[in-house]
Amino acid sequence: MIIDIHGHYTTAPKALEDWRNAQIAGIQDPALMPRVADLRISDDELRESIATNQLAKMQERGSDLTIFSPRASFMAHHIGDFQVSASWAAICNELCFRVSQLFPDHFIPAAMLPQSPGVDPASCIPEFVKCVEQYGNVAINLNPDPGGGHWTSPPLTHRHWYPIYEKMVEYDVPAMIHCFHATGAHYINADTTAFMQCLQGDLFKDFPSLRFVIPHGGGAVPYHWGRYRGLAQELKKPLLSEHLMKNIFFDTCVYHQPGIDLLTKVIPVDNVLFASEMIGAVRGIDPETGFYFDDTKRYIEASTQLSAAQKHQIYEGNARRVYPRLDAALKKKGI
Amino acid sequence: MIIDIHGHYTTAPKALEDWRNAQIAGIQDPALMPRVADLRISDDELRESIATNQLAKMQERGSDLTIFSPRASFMAHHIGDFQVSASWAAICNELCFRVSQLFPDHFIPAAMLPQSPGVDPASCIPEFVKCVEQYGNVAINLNPDPGGGHWTSPPLTHRHWYPIYEKMVEYDVPAMIHCFHATGAHYINADTTAFMQCLQGDLFKDFPSLRFVIPHGGGAVPYHWGRYRGLAQELKKPLLSEHLMKNIFFDTCVYHQPGIDLLTKVIPVDNVLFASEMIGAVRGIDPETGFYFDDTKRYIEASTQLSAAQKHQIYEGNARRVYPRLDAALKKKGI
């Protein structure tokens, strides 16, 4: 079985974007603020938006199940106040839940949190609880920079974030660290920054079972693995294998063969999880290969370093270990 | 000949740091503001700070000449106003110039600019002119984020920066893009951001001969080369080989063999320049190899992908092409 741990609902019907634009207008002029009930998207519309897009590509490329979360570039936690974020997260999470109900064999949801700059992360707990208990979410996305690009929040190792971590540990769900910025630099930089914050701190002493998935192949980290090993040594931290790698995992959203080869050479196979972020920011065909840039399964398949057992780990085994609620859901179905 | 294009004066006598601390105190209380003339560092002190550190390691490792600039983590352009930055840059540049005079076979200077947040970059031109014309500097360091971590300046492709670019073209000197932050994330992120800004813009149409050196192996860029090729395609830009790679170069400050192997596999050899950033942030010995993390020459030597001619290009040929004033200085000596 091939599990893609990183997919966003980037193809939602346009009504969603229209509602969001109305909500943003409503921040200035409360008369324009839409009600949650104003958004109406039918099951047929949801079905079509998935069947012709993500699901079609999954079947074409041969992946089975996607951990599916709201569109990252729509999260925009810095827009409006907590109430704005709360309504928006509720709507987006409900849509991903509905997709998972419509295609239960192919999508399982991960939640966006109603983070808001300057607001206690504990305010996110009710949405988190609902998503896990009622919607069957197997993970959350955590934005380390809800201020939107200026890095004004405390680092991820700060007690500021502990209410969320306590709930993650209680529910045994991992967080994907994911900022909302749509550009090619911010995503990658947030990944690298998240890793460096963890390196400098001792978060996993307080939460030995906490798990972070750093997407986009870990940002710059595997390429600079020697630098980070060396920095940990300068800071008198344990070896990264002890200090971080029981708790931090990287996905395979790296869109060329040499990058995947580096990732799987440098990072222990236990810490690498299959993902494509399809349909995401890079939708084209690589003229050098004739295949989609984001068809990351091809790179894993073509790897000459990985054994069949290791490929299985990356495709399925690690995901079932890092996302125990996903494993439980599959087992319940006899898979 | 082996040219290291990326060394900082991280080992300056303590008097320099004391002067800087006094200057910072003087921002609050003008009575404490030191005069430039108050800083006295003798030639013997300079000599010792280099001979026992950078030069000793260069000789041990077998590199010949370092392009030498003020300590990046000391630049701190966000501290104080333009006058503070101007005095500080003048002092730091003079020290690097003096080092180059004391060890003319081993060090050649690159200038720090007196950038200051919100101040027109044209204000940097007098220091730039002095460093090139009087001190023989062969390059400048350009901080894309003089605000100090919050990315409040316009992107590097904005006309805001053009006065500096015009002077770079006139003098035919490249800029190393270098922010001041000392942590493992900010450096790497600034590198990645600089590349992405150039990718999104069309700067090199306006300045076909402008050259940027992106340090630390290009940040995350080579690891995510497929992503950046794909993003350029989404943005309807030309192939990166046309769009950026006549103007952007990466150094080899990547502190492990698999990273260097990726860099030299993915990025054309014409665009890779030898560097170590010794003595920098990572000073230890890699327990996996028994050698210094930042002894990057070992990784180039050990490369099985690079021919002897390509290694020569990385060690010397590319540096002489990208830094024509360095080439001229060497030719003047008959090298």
Side-chain angles (χ1 to χ4, degrees):
Chain A
M1 153 164 236
I2 294 184
I3 300 166
D4 185 332
I5 62 141
H6 187 180
H8 298 294
Y9 195 10
T10 50
T11 58
K14 185 153 181 306
L16 180 66
E17 188 178 344
D18 293 342
W19 189 93
R20 175 62 163 174
N21 288 337
Q23 190 196 33
I24 292 170
I27 296 169
Q28 297 304 322
D29 180 356
L32 300 174
M33 185 62 83
R35 292 167 308 160
V36 170
D38 292 343
L39 177 65
R40 286 197 196 81
I41 298 177
S42 70
D43 282 356
D44 279 349
E45 287 173 288
L46 287 184
R47 234 181 247 115
E48 202 206 323
S49 74
I50 293 290
T52 59
N53 289 302
Q54 285 87 349
L55 187 58
K57 288 214 181 322
M58 285 164 66
Q59 287 169 337
E60 197 180 300
R61 300 178 186 182
S63 76
D64 302 299
L65 176 66
T66 296
I67 298 179
F68 202 55
S69 63
R71 183 176 192 166
S73 66
F74 269 20
M75 293 193 308
H77 292 120
H78 63 293
I79 296 177
D81 58 11
F82 172 75
Q83 196 47 55
V84 166
S85 277
S87 304
W88 180 232
I91 281 180
C92 292
N93 286 328
E94 192 192 3
L95 287 180
C96 287
F97 167 62
R98 287 174 62 199
V99 167
S100 75
Q101 297 293 99
L102 293 169
F103 301 98
D105 294 337
H106 298 297
F107 295 92
I108 194 159
M112 159 183 169
L113 299 180
Q115 295 177 247
S116 191
V119 177
D120 183 349
S123 61
C124 298
I125 301 297
E127 181 71 21
F128 188 169
V129 168
K130 180 187 72 186
C131 286
V132 172
E133 298 201 351
Q134 295 175 38
Y135 291 172
N137 280 239
V138 299
I140 58 168
N141 290 342
L142 186 64
N143 182 353
D145 178 32
H150 298 295
W151 292 95
T152 46
S153 291
L156 288 169
T157 49
H158 191 278
R159 297 192 71 85
H160 171 80
W161 301 98
Y162 277 25
I164 291 180
Y165 299 158
E166 285 158 9
K167 207 73 195 169
M168 285 170 61
V169 167
E170 180 192 330
Y171 280 144
D172 206 9
V173 300
M176 179 171 279
I177 306 300
H178 211 308
C179 80
F180 93 93
H181 265 285
T183 77
H186 280 285
Y187 275 165
I188 304 296
N189 290 350
D191 305 332
T192 311
T193 300
F195 187 85
M196 188 64 200
Q197 289 177 353
C198 293
L199 189 154
Q200 291 174 296
D202 290 298
L203 177 60
F204 304 119
K205 277 192 187 159
D206 282 357
F207 295 101
S209 68
L210 191 69
R211 297 181 302 284
F212 288 162
V213 178
I214 303 189
H216 317 107
V221 172
Y223 176 46
H224 287 287
W225 195 236
R227 174 176 291 264
Y228 292 105
R229 288 195 292 109
L231 285 169
Q233 193 168 299
E234 298 285 325
L235 294 169
K236 317 270 185 234
K237 300 291 182 187
L239 291 177
L240 293 184
S241 52
E242 280 301 306
H243 183 48
L244 299 180
M245 299 312 282
K246 294 174 177 172
N247 306 86
I248 290 183
F249 304 86
F250 298 147
D251 78 10
T252 64
C253 292
V254 177
Y255 294 161
H256 63 152
Q257 189 71 47
I260 290 289
D261 289 344
L262 175 83
L263 171 67
T264 55
K265 179 165 197 169
V266 168
I267 304 301
V269 170
D270 278 354
N271 296 71
V272 178
L273 288 85
F274 177 69
S276 71
E277 207 175 0
M278 178 273 293
I279 295 172
V282 180
R283 303 182 179 197
I285 289 175
D286 185 345
E288 293 183 9
T289 66
F291 299 107
Y292 286 99
F293 281 108
D294 65 359
D295 186 357
T296 52
K297 179 162 165 266
R298 286 189 173 272
Y299 312 131
I300 308 289
E301 289 299 303
S303 168
T304 54
Q305 298 166 177
L306 296 167
S307 68
Q310 289 177 319
K311 290 179 187 180
H312 173 76
Q313 251 189 288
I314 291 173
Y315 285 141
E316 177 182 347
N318 294 339
R320 294 179 80 137
R321 196 180 77 248
V322 175
Y323 298 77
R325 285 176 178 265
L326 166 66
D327 184 52
L330 291 172
K331 283 193 176 131
K332 212 167 149 188
K333 293 184 183 181
I335 302 170
Chain B
M1 154 166 237
I2 294 184
I3 301 167
D4 185 332
I5 62 141
H6 188 180
H8 298 295
Y9 194 11
T10 50
T11 58
K14 185 150 182 306
L16 180 67
E17 189 179 344
D18 294 341
W19 190 94
R20 175 62 162 173
N21 288 337
Q23 189 197 34
I24 292 169
I27 296 168
Q28 298 304 324
D29 180 356
L32 299 174
M33 184 62 82
R35 292 166 307 159
V36 170
D38 292 342
L39 176 66
R40 287 197 196 81
I41 298 177
S42 70
D43 282 356
D44 278 350
E45 287 174 288
L46 287 184
R47 233 180 248 115
E48 200 205 325
S49 74
I50 294 290
T52 58
N53 289 302
Q54 285 86 351
L55 187 58
K57 287 212 182 326
M58 285 164 67
Q59 287 169 338
E60 196 179 302
R61 299 177 186 183
S63 76
D64 301 298
L65 176 66
T66 296
I67 299 180
F68 202 57
S69 63
R71 184 174 190 167
S73 67
F74 268 20
M75 294 194 307
H77 291 120
H78 62 294
I79 296 177
D81 59 10
F82 172 75
Q83 196 47 55
V84 166
S85 278
S87 304
W88 180 234
I91 280 179
C92 292
N93 286 328
E94 192 193 3
L95 287 181
C96 288
F97 166 62
R98 286 174 61 198
V99 168
S100 76
Q101 296 294 100
L102 292 170
F103 300 98
D105 294 337
H106 298 297
F107 295 93
I108 194 159
M112 160 184 169
L113 299 180
Q115 294 176 247
S116 191
V119 178
D120 183 349
S123 62
C124 298
I125 301 296
E127 182 70 20
F128 188 169
V129 168
K130 181 187 72 185
C131 285
V132 172
E133 298 202 350
Q134 295 175 38
Y135 291 172
N137 279 240
V138 300
I140 58 168
N141 290 341
L142 186 64
N143 183 352
D145 178 32
H150 298 296
W151 292 95
T152 46
S153 291
L156 288 169
T157 49
H158 191 279
R159 299 192 69 84
H160 171 80
W161 301 98
Y162 277 25
I164 291 180
Y165 300 158
E166 285 159 8
K167 207 72 195 172
M168 285 169 62
V169 168
E170 182 193 328
Y171 280 144
D172 206 10
V173 300
M176 179 170 279
I177 306 300
H178 211 308
C179 80
F180 92 94
H181 265 286
T183 78
H186 279 287
Y187 276 165
I188 303 296
N189 291 349
D191 305 333
T192 311
T193 300
F195 187 85
M196 189 63 200
Q197 289 177 352
C198 293
L199 188 154
Q200 291 175 296
D202 290 297
L203 177 61
F204 303 120
K205 278 190 186 158
D206 282 357
F207 295 102
S209 68
L210 191 69
R211 296 182 303 285
F212 288 162
V213 178
I214 303 189
H216 317 107
V221 172
Y223 177 46
H224 287 288
W225 195 235
R227 175 175 290 263
Y228 291 104
R229 289 195 292 108
L231 285 169
Q233 194 168 298
E234 297 286 323
L235 295 169
K236 317 271 184 234
K237 299 293 182 186
L239 291 176
L240 293 184
S241 52
E242 280 300 306
H243 183 46
L244 299 180
M245 298 312 282
K246 293 173 176 171
N247 304 87
I248 290 184
F249 304 85
F250 298 149
D251 78 10
T252 64
C253 293
V254 177
Y255 294 161
H256 63 151
Q257 190 71 45
I260 290 288
D261 289 344
L262 175 83
L263 170 68
T264 55
K265 180 166 196 167
V266 168
I267 304 300
V269 171
D270 278 355
N271 296 72
V272 178
L273 288 86
F274 177 69
S276 70
E277 207 174 2
M278 178 272 294
I279 294 171
V282 181
R283 302 182 180 195
I285 289 176
D286 185 345
E288 294 185 8
T289 65
F291 299 107
Y292 286 99
F293 282 108
D294 66 358
D295 186 357
T296 53
K297 180 162 165 265
R298 287 188 173 271
Y299 311 130
I300 308 290
E301 288 299 305
S303 168
T304 54
Q305 299 165 179
L306 296 167
S307 68
Q310 289 176 319
K311 291 179 186 179
H312 173 76
Q313 253 189 286
I314 290 173
Y315 285 141
E316 177 182 347
N318 293 339
R320 296 181 78 138
R321 196 180 76 250
V322 175
Y323 298 77
R325 284 177 178 266
L326 166 66
D327 184 52
L330 291 173
K331 283 194 175 130
K332 213 168 147 188
K333 293 184 184 182
I335 303 170

